[in-house]
Amino acid sequence: MPALAVALYHVDPRTGQVVLHAMPILLLILLLLAIAYRYYSAFLAAKVAVLDDTRLTPAHRFYDGQNYHPTNRWVLFGHHFAAISGAGPLIGPVLAIQYGYMPGLLWLVIGVCLAGAVQDMLVLAASVRRDGKSLAEIARTELGYPAMLAAALAILFIVIIALAGLGFVVVKALGGEEVKLPAGLHITLPPEADLPLPESPSSGRQLYHFPPGCVLRYPNDNKPTHRPEGFTLAVPADSPLKPQGNSVSLPAGCTQVVPGSAWGTFTIACTIPIALLVGWWMYRLRPGRVVEASLVGALLTLAAVIAGNWIPGSPLAPYFTLTREQTILALCLYGFVAAVLPVWLLLGPRDYLSSFLKIGTVILLVLSVLLANPPLQAPPINEVFLNGGPTFPGSIFPFVFICIMCGAISGFHSLVSSGTTPKMVERESHIRSIGYGAMLIEGLVGVVALITAASLPQDLYYAMNIGIDAAPRWQGAVQQVEERYGWRLPAEAADPLHAAQVDAPHHLDLAQVEERVGGEALRGRTGGAVTLAVGMALIFEDAFRWLGITGQWLLKYWYHFAIMFEALFILTTIDAGTRIARFLLQESAGRLYAPLARTDWLPGALLATALVTAGYGWLIHTGSIDTIWPMFGIANQGLAVLALALVTTWLVNSGRGRLAWVTALPMLFVLSTTTSAAAIMVTVRFPAMIRDGRVLAGSLNIALTLFVVTTVGVVVLWALARWLAAALRYFRTPSLPRPSPSGQP
């Protein structure tokens, strides 16, 4: 096969199917993003937003040295990108691989160019023209007080739901848990292996550590499940396991113990004092040395990743091996403290620190994908799971557009584009690179996350993304995926000289991967974060092999570096989002009791922050990935609908209604997918939770979803009435000249 063809694709030696490689796909997408920025964003800047550098921005007109401050374009680009880039573009594409990689890839590229970047840029432009006002204040200016009230309430609840979705990802990646196993589960040990002797902890249970290579058969299912990795079971002390030859059947009440990640928790915990040090360095020790302080923080963070290797098995391990509940509590405490402390002390330094690490890691990942050029082992379209699968419930329409949100379009970004960023824009022409450009980079993050997940062997992908308790339900469907598409092998597998290289990346089974990432438990780690970290680690290892940097010991450092990278994406959104929700809640409550509206009044700040953190903490505690992530997607996309409706109204009110299609068409599409998904969740998914006994959680999820859809719908209808009124005025007075766009606000 010609060398060029090998770089583009290979033919699977077992199935005869053509398997595309990542490098040419990524190069094509980079070209499309560059074209969109060069031409479409230029059209938006010149004709739609009518950016004009002769206008003074709010940063100059209201300069106070704190909130309003003219900022260098690229410094502000980094700040804006750090603020908008959460877990959405990392996790959504990983979960959507169950549909195949092509639907998600198309939505990411088309969505970010025509919808997401358009929203971010034009909301930023509208806020700059409206003195740096928030989205709710823009609603008041363009539509009136009732619309502002509906928008403010919608934003508050949407932010809390979004924080729950992001927090859940951290909990699944770091927290330990115990998963119930059915009575009668039959476990066959490997040949010549005996039933391990139990340990008897103080909790009145016995712990059995099973060796690698066991075979499990679930009740009423004759299909065996092979476990290449070892695992630990907790068995009631009054029902000890009774071996039957080299096999055993489980009694009622058994659970599989999935330990928390001490290494990952230690590394992420270290970023908090590191951020405090960076803040002290920038504002007290060496004022103004932002780059210097950020580089020091980045080096210390990398050192924390390396030092984490010595935590598991050490006397410190129990302090960092957290259960699921402990991880939720730690997350809420962090959000509480970060939202109450002064911005300069923790939030600001973490933004600077994460900007360096985020942008640097994204560049490293893009270069690594181009260099490693991994095959996309997932099918382009997975017909087995078109109507829903183990990683995400629901059919490909509308749920692929809900599962993948932030990389294509994210309503959460509109809060940043109408928050701190418009108060720091130095010149109006900078809006194009900051608003449109930063969102294109986030879309690129989503693309490389999708490519990373698609490059994993599919048996490894489903082993990590199917909950241990859900394995019997999906075993048959996953078998169908194997029969239809096969577990695709890299091109070198056809060569007998290479086929024996079983320890090469993308040849590994789950047990080998667990061993090489430092003994972490990976099976059933739903939520996408662990899957992405494994995929990133394998791609980094592949790429650096080309540079002569090899060694099996490297994979564990790459894996925990990837976990830290994901956590930085999430925690910067958690602390900023908690603060935004606190301000919104105080503003709303201040209408009932005036002192609550004062953000500098400590009792009000503490009360509002406690309510916000308790809200998303409860959602995380009672939810699962198949309920929280769809709710997050619906809420986030609902906020995008609201933002696009307000920007469309701004264009209409400013005399540029003939160009309103640039925002109205994306709004209508996102509105159709969001309302369709909400209807399915409210009528199918949440009632199923109630039938399963989770009455309170299911009922509140229904109420929250209906509230979000209703408030967003009120704003959209209010905006539609304004558009129709403007259109009627236009057609009734044809003799009046059209206002000049350049003269409009």
Side-chain angles (χ1 to χ4, degrees):
M1 183 181 292
L4 178 60
V6 171
L8 298 176
Y9 68 92
H10 75 266
V11 178
D12 190 291
R14 290 185 294 178
T15 65
Q17 296 177 352
V18 174
V19 180
L20 297 179
H21 286 219
M23 185 257 294
I25 292 177
L26 184 55
L27 287 176
L28 176 61
I29 290 170
L30 289 171
L31 177 62
L32 293 174
L33 296 180
I35 292 172
Y37 181 78
R38 170 61 183 84
Y39 293 104
Y40 195 53
S41 71
F43 163 74
L44 295 174
K47 301 296 185 182
V48 181
V50 196
L51 302 180
D52 183 1
D53 279 346
T54 63
R55 292 174 178 269
L56 284 179
T57 63
H60 291 284
R61 287 188 286 118
F62 305 108
Y63 174 78
D64 61 6
Q66 297 181 12
N67 295 318
Y68 291 88
H69 180 73
T71 305
N72 176 274
R73 179 202 307 221
W74 301 116
V75 173
L76 185 54
F77 178 95
H79 163 82
H80 183 76
F81 177 73
I84 67 172
S85 52
L90 297 174
I91 303 305
V94 174
L95 300 178
I97 286 295
Q98 71 170 18
Y99 300 115
Y101 64 79
M102 193 56 69
L105 197 62
L106 292 174
W107 169 231
L108 280 167
V109 177
I110 296 172
V112 73
C113 293
L114 301 182
V118 174
Q119 173 208 253
D120 288 16
M121 176 180 172
L122 294 184
V123 168
L124 180 57
S127 182
V128 167
R129 293 287 176 84
R130 294 291 183 254
D131 300 334
K133 298 296 186 184
S134 67
L135 199 63
E137 284 297 317
I138 293 174
R140 184 185 64 81
T141 303
E142 305 298 334
L143 292 173
Y145 182 81
M148 184 207 73
L149 183 60
L153 291 174
I155 292 169
L156 174 61
F157 281 90
I158 287 169
V159 169
I160 291 175
I161 294 171
L163 294 176
L166 297 174
F168 188 86
V169 175
V170 175
V171 171
K172 289 298 294 185
L174 300 179
E177 59 183 336
E178 293 195 18
V179 183
K180 294 180 180 179
L181 297 175
L185 174 65
H186 192 79
I187 302 176
T188 302
L189 282 75
E192 302 179 358
D194 297 323
L195 182 69
L197 296 176
E199 298 177 6
S200 298
S202 59
S203 57
R205 304 178 303 168
Q206 294 182 327
L207 297 181
Y208 291 83
H209 302 284
F210 282 80
C214 293
V215 177
L216 279 62
R217 281 184 170 83
Y218 290 89
N220 304 318
D221 189 351
N222 293 324
K223 296 178 181 177
T225 300
H226 295 272
R227 286 288 191 91
E229 80 284 4
F231 54 94
T232 300
L233 299 185
V235 179
D238 56 356
S239 303
L241 297 183
K242 299 177 181 179
Q244 304 166 0
N246 73 329
S247 62
V248 65
S249 291
L250 299 187
C254 294
T255 59
Q256 179 170 339
V257 179
V258 180
S261 174
W263 186 341
T265 303
F266 169 80
T267 300
I268 294 164
C270 285
T271 64
I272 298 173
I274 290 172
L276 294 173
L277 173 64
V278 170
W280 175 74
W281 191 295
M282 287 193 300
Y283 294 101
R284 296 291 185 268
L285 180 64
R286 293 173 65 83
R289 302 297 181 93
V290 175
V291 174
E292 178 182 291
S294 298
L295 288 174
V296 169
L299 291 174
L300 289 175
T301 302
L302 295 178
V305 173
I306 296 172
N309 178 46
W310 293 291
I311 297 300
S314 74
L316 293 175
Y319 299 101
F320 294 100
T321 306
L322 304 182
T323 65
R324 182 177 186 272
E325 289 70 24
Q326 290 170 336
T327 309
I328 295 172
L329 180 60
L331 185 70
C332 292
L333 286 174
Y334 168 75
F336 181 90
V337 172
V340 173
L341 287 178
V343 172
W344 69 267
L345 188 58
L346 180 59
L347 188 63
R350 180 180 279 281
D351 267 356
Y352 286 115
L353 179 61
S354 63
S355 296
F356 273 81
L357 291 170
K358 286 179 181 180
I359 295 173
T361 306
V362 169
I363 294 172
L364 177 63
L365 184 56
V366 169
L367 294 177
S368 296
V369 169
L370 294 176
L371 191 59
N373 193 22
L376 302 184
Q377 302 193 57
I381 301 288
N382 187 350
E383 297 180 4
V384 177
F385 292 137
L386 285 183
N387 292 318
T391 66
F392 202 82
S395 57
I396 189 170
F397 182 88
F399 283 102
V400 74
F401 304 102
I402 300 300
C403 182
I404 298 177
M405 44 186 151
C406 296
I409 181 170
S410 170
F412 193 85
H413 295 187
S414 65
L415 303 181
V416 180
S417 293
S418 61
T420 57
T421 303
K423 298 176 179 65
M424 302 165 69
V425 173
E426 186 176 21
R427 304 173 67 183
E428 282 198 356
S429 61
H430 296 176
I431 291 172
R432 178 187 174 196
S433 55
I434 294 168
Y436 200 93
M439 183 57 197
L440 287 187
I441 300 299
E442 174 150 324
L444 179 62
V445 172
V447 168
V448 293
L450 184 141
I451 287 174
T452 299
S455 69
L456 285 171
Q458 290 297 279
D459 54 342
L460 186 60
Y461 173 84
Y462 286 112
M464 290 185 286
N465 278 287
I466 298 178
I468 295 171
D469 54 343
R473 175 186 173 193
W474 295 107
Q475 185 173 348
V478 172
Q479 184 67 29
Q480 289 182 43
V481 175
E482 179 180 3
E483 292 171 356
R484 181 170 298 191
Y485 304 108
W487 302 136
R488 299 166 171 217
L489 296 175
E492 66 268 18
D495 184 348
L497 295 178
H498 293 83
Q501 191 185 3
V502 295
D503 62 339
H506 307 291
H507 289 202
L508 303 174
D509 62 26
L510 187 65
Q512 293 169 310
V513 174
E514 287 188 340
E515 180 183 357
R516 291 183 54 186
V517 299
E520 299 285 354
L522 303 180
R523 183 176 293 275
R525 289 282 193 178
T526 59
V530 167
T531 304
L532 178 62
V534 170
M536 287 175 62
L538 291 174
I539 286 178
F540 286 148
E541 186 180 53
D542 248 351
F544 277 77
R545 180 178 284 109
W546 281 85
L547 302 176
I549 303 174
T550 61
Q552 293 190 9
W553 56 272
L554 275 173
L555 195 67
K556 61 184 178 182
Y557 292 106
W558 284 127
Y559 170 80
H560 286 93
F561 173 80
I563 287 289
M564 180 273 298
F565 165 71
E566 295 176 56
L568 279 181
F569 264 77
I570 295 168
L571 292 180
T572 52
T573 309
I574 291 286
D575 50 28
T578 305
R579 185 176 289 268
I580 289 171
R582 168 202 150 191
F583 289 159
L584 287 169
L585 184 57
Q586 285 190 259
E587 182 182 339
S588 301
R591 296 185 176 91
L592 301 176
Y593 182 60
L596 287 173
R598 289 170 43 204
T599 57
D600 59 348
W601 188 49
L602 186 59
L606 294 176
L607 176 62
T609 307
L611 290 174
V612 170
T613 53
Y616 64 73
W618 182 84
L619 286 172
I620 297 171
H621 178 70
T622 60
S624 59
I625 191 63
D626 60 350
T627 58
I628 284 187
W629 200 261
M631 279 186 66
F632 174 28
I634 291 167
N636 197 27
Q637 303 296 59
L639 183 53
V641 170
L642 187 150
L644 289 169
L646 292 176
V647 172
T648 305
T649 307
W650 170 65
L651 292 175
V652 170
N653 291 345
S654 301
R656 298 191 290 276
R658 67 187 184 281
L659 296 174
W661 57 268
V662 300
T663 51
L665 291 180
M667 184 205 75
L668 291 174
F669 179 78
V670 177
L671 180 64
S672 68
T673 58
T674 303
T675 52
S676 300
I680 294 171
M681 296 300 293
V682 167
T683 60
V684 179
R685 290 291 303 154
F686 296 145
M689 292 177 62
I690 295 174
R691 290 192 297 271
D692 290 342
R694 294 184 288 172
V695 178
L696 180 60
S699 301
L700 283 177
N701 287 346
I702 290 174
L704 283 173
T705 304
L706 289 176
F707 179 82
V708 168
V709 172
T710 301
T711 51
V712 170
V714 166
V715 175
V716 171
L717 291 175
W718 210 287
L720 180 60
R722 180 63 57 89
W723 307 341
L724 292 176
L728 288 174
R729 286 196 304 270
Y730 177 83
F731 287 113
R732 285 175 179 172
T733 56
S735 60
L736 294 178
R738 295 181 184 179
S740 171
S742 61
Q744 295 300 321

